[in-house]
Coordinates of all heavy atoms in Angstrom, one line a residue:
Chain B
D10 N 17.7 -5.2 18.3 CA 18.7 -6.0 17.5 C 19.4 -7.0 18.5 O 19.7 -6.6 19.6 CB 19.8 -5.1 16.9 CG 19.1 -4.2 15.9 OD1 18.1 -4.6 15.2 OD2 19.6 -3.0 15.7
P11 N 19.5 -8.2 18.0 CA 20.2 -9.2 18.9 C 21.6 -8.7 19.1 O 22.2 -8.2 18.1 CB 20.1 -10.5 18.1 CG 19.7 -10.2 16.7 CD 19.0 -8.8 16.8
P12 N 22.2 -8.9 20.2 CA 23.6 -8.5 20.5 C 24.5 -9.4 19.6 O 24.1 -10.5 19.2 CB 23.8 -8.8 21.9 CG 22.8 -9.8 22.3 CD 21.6 -9.6 21.4
P13 N 25.7 -8.9 19.3 CA 26.6 -9.7 18.5 C 27.0 -11.0 19.3 O 27.0 -11.0 20.5 CB 27.8 -8.8 18.3 CG 27.7 -7.7 19.4 CD 26.2 -7.6 19.7
G14 N 27.4 -12.0 18.6 CA 27.8 -13.2 19.3 C 27.0 -14.4 19.0 O 27.0 -15.4 19.8
G15 N 26.2 -14.4 17.9 CA 25.5 -15.6 17.4 C 24.2 -15.9 18.2 O 23.8 -15.1 19.0
T16 N 23.6 -17.0 17.8 CA 22.3 -17.4 18.3 C 22.2 -17.5 19.8 O 21.1 -17.1 20.3 CB 21.8 -18.7 17.6 OG1 22.9 -19.6 17.8 CG2 21.4 -18.5 16.2
T17 N 23.2 -18.0 20.5 CA 23.0 -18.2 21.9 C 22.8 -16.9 22.6 O 21.9 -16.8 23.4 CB 24.3 -18.9 22.5 OG1 25.4 -18.2 22.0 CG2 24.3 -20.3 22.2
G18 N 23.5 -15.8 22.1 CA 23.3 -14.5 22.7 C 21.9 -14.0 22.4 O 21.2 -13.5 23.3
A19 N 21.4 -14.2 21.2 CA 20.1 -13.8 20.8 C 19.0 -14.5 21.6 O 18.0 -13.9 22.0 CB 19.9 -14.0 19.3
E20 N 19.3 -15.8 21.8 CA 18.3 -16.6 22.6 C 18.2 -16.2 24.0 O 17.2 -16.0 24.6 CB 18.7 -18.1 22.5 CG 18.1 -18.8 21.3 CD 18.8 -20.1 21.0 OE1 19.5 -20.6 22.0 OE2 18.8 -20.6 19.9
R21 N 19.4 -15.9 24.6 CA 19.5 -15.4 25.9 C 18.8 -14.1 26.0 O 18.0 -13.8 27.0 CB 20.9 -15.3 26.4 CG 21.1 -15.3 27.9 CD 22.5 -15.5 28.4 NE 23.5 -14.8 27.6 CZ 24.5 -15.3 26.9 NH1 24.6 -16.6 26.8 NH2 25.3 -14.5 26.3
D22 N 19.0 -13.3 25.0 CA 18.4 -12.0 25.0 C 16.9 -12.1 25.0 O 16.2 -11.4 25.7 CB 18.9 -11.2 23.7 CG 18.5 -9.8 23.7 OD1 18.6 -9.2 24.8 OD2 18.1 -9.2 22.7
E23 N 16.4 -13.0 24.1 CA 14.9 -13.2 24.0 C 14.3 -13.7 25.3 O 13.3 -13.3 25.7 CB 14.6 -14.2 22.9 CG 13.1 -14.5 22.8 CD 12.6 -14.4 21.4 OE1 13.3 -14.0 20.5 OE2 11.4 -14.9 21.2
A24 N 15.0 -14.7 26.0 CA 14.5 -15.2 27.2 C 14.5 -14.1 28.3 O 13.5 -14.0 29.0 CB 15.5 -16.3 27.7
D25 N 15.4 -13.2 28.2 CA 15.5 -12.0 29.1 C 14.3 -11.1 28.9 O 13.6 -10.6 29.8 CB 16.8 -11.3 28.8 CG 17.3 -10.5 30.0 OD1 17.2 -11.0 31.1 OD2 17.6 -9.3 29.7
L26 N 14.0 -10.8 27.6 CA 12.9 -10.0 27.2 C 11.6 -10.6 27.6 O 10.7 -9.9 28.1 CB 12.9 -9.7 25.7 CG 14.1 -8.9 25.2 CD1 14.2 -9.0 23.7 CD2 14.0 -7.4 25.6
L27 N 11.5 -11.9 27.5 CA 10.3 -12.6 27.8 C 10.0 -12.5 29.3 O 8.9 -12.2 29.8 CB 10.3 -14.1 27.4 CG 9.0 -14.8 27.6 CD1 7.9 -14.3 26.7 CD2 9.3 -16.3 27.2
T28 N 11.1 -12.6 30.1 CA 11.0 -12.5 31.6 C 10.5 -11.1 31.9 O 9.6 -10.9 32.8 CB 12.4 -12.7 32.2 OG1 12.9 -13.9 31.7 CG2 12.3 -12.8 33.7
R29 N 11.0 -10.1 31.2 CA 10.6 -8.7 31.5 C 9.2 -8.5 31.2 O 8.4 -7.8 31.9 CB 11.5 -7.7 30.7 CG 12.7 -7.3 31.5 CD 13.2 -6.0 31.0 NE 14.1 -6.2 29.8 CZ 14.6 -5.2 29.1 NH1 14.2 -4.0 29.2 NH2 15.4 -5.5 28.1
F30 N 8.7 -9.1 30.0 CA 7.3 -9.0 29.6 C 6.4 -9.6 30.6 O 5.4 -9.0 31.0 CB 7.2 -9.6 28.2 CG 5.8 -9.8 27.7 CD1 5.0 -8.8 27.3 CD2 5.2 -11.1 27.7 CE1 3.7 -8.9 26.8 CE2 3.9 -11.3 27.3 CZ 3.2 -10.2 26.8
E31 N 6.8 -10.8 31.1 CA 5.9 -11.5 32.0 C 5.9 -10.8 33.3 O 4.9 -10.8 34.0 CB 6.4 -13.0 32.1 CG 5.9 -13.8 30.9 CD 6.5 -15.2 30.8 OE1 7.4 -15.5 31.6 OE2 6.0 -15.9 29.9
A32 N 7.0 -10.2 33.7 CA 7.0 -9.4 35.0 C 6.0 -8.2 34.9 O 5.4 -7.9 35.9 CB 8.4 -8.9 35.3
L33 N 6.0 -7.6 33.7 CA 5.0 -6.5 33.5 C 3.6 -7.0 33.8 O 2.8 -6.3 34.5 CB 5.1 -5.9 32.1 CG 6.2 -4.8 31.8 CD1 6.1 -4.5 30.3 CD2 6.0 -3.6 32.7
L34 N 3.3 -8.1 33.1 CA 1.9 -8.6 33.2 C 1.6 -9.0 34.7 O 0.5 -8.7 35.2 CB 1.7 -9.9 32.3 CG 1.8 -9.7 30.8 CD1 1.5 -11.0 30.1 CD2 0.8 -8.6 30.4
A35 N 2.6 -9.7 35.3 CA 2.4 -10.1 36.7 C 2.2 -8.9 37.6 O 1.4 -9.0 38.6 CB 3.6 -11.0 37.2
A36 N 2.8 -7.8 37.3 CA 2.7 -6.6 38.2 C 1.4 -5.9 37.8 O 1.1 -4.8 38.5 CB 3.9 -5.8 38.0
G37 N 0.7 -6.3 36.8 CA -0.5 -5.6 36.4 C -0.2 -4.3 35.7 O -1.1 -3.4 35.6
E38 N 1.0 -4.1 35.3 CA 1.4 -2.9 34.5 C 0.9 -3.0 33.1 O 0.8 -4.1 32.6 CB 2.9 -2.7 34.5 CG 3.5 -2.6 35.9 CD 3.6 -1.1 36.3 OE1 3.3 -0.3 35.5 OE2 4.1 -0.9 37.4
S39 N 0.7 -1.9 32.4 CA 0.2 -2.0 31.1 C 1.5 -2.1 30.2 O 2.5 -1.6 30.4 CB -0.6 -0.8 30.7 OG 0.1 0.3 30.4
V40 N 1.2 -2.9 29.1 CA 2.3 -3.1 28.1 C 2.1 -2.0 27.1 O 1.0 -1.7 26.6 CB 2.1 -4.5 27.4 CG1 3.1 -4.7 26.3 CG2 2.2 -5.6 28.4
E41 N 3.2 -1.3 26.7 CA 3.2 -0.1 25.9 C 3.9 -0.4 24.5 O 4.7 -1.4 24.4 CB 3.8 1.1 26.6 CG 3.0 1.5 27.8 CD 1.6 2.0 27.5 OE1 1.4 2.5 26.3 OE2 0.7 1.9 28.3
P42 N 3.6 0.4 23.5 CA 4.1 0.1 22.1 C 5.6 -0.1 22.0 O 6.1 -0.9 21.2 CB 3.7 1.3 21.3 CG 2.6 1.9 22.0 CD 2.8 1.6 23.5
H43 N 6.4 0.5 22.9 CA 7.9 0.3 22.8 C 8.4 -0.9 23.5 O 9.6 -1.2 23.4 CB 8.6 1.6 23.3 CG 8.0 2.1 24.6 ND1 8.1 1.5 25.7 CD2 7.3 3.3 24.8 CE1 7.4 2.1 26.7 NE2 6.9 3.2 26.1
D44 N 7.5 -1.6 24.2 CA 7.9 -2.8 25.0 C 8.1 -4.0 24.0 O 7.3 -4.1 23.1 CB 6.9 -3.2 26.0 CG 6.9 -2.2 27.2 OD1 8.0 -1.7 27.6 OD2 5.8 -1.9 27.7

Side-chain angles (χ1 to χ4, degrees):
Chain B
D10 296 327
T16 46
T17 46
E20 276 162 18
R21 200 165 45 241
D22 193 40
E23 174 137 350
D25 203 45
L26 292 166
L27 188 62
T28 311
R29 270 202 274 168
F30 169 75
E31 281 169 354
L33 273 180
L34 292 183
E38 296 270 357
S39 79
V40 177
E41 294 297 334
H43 43 67
D44 290 322

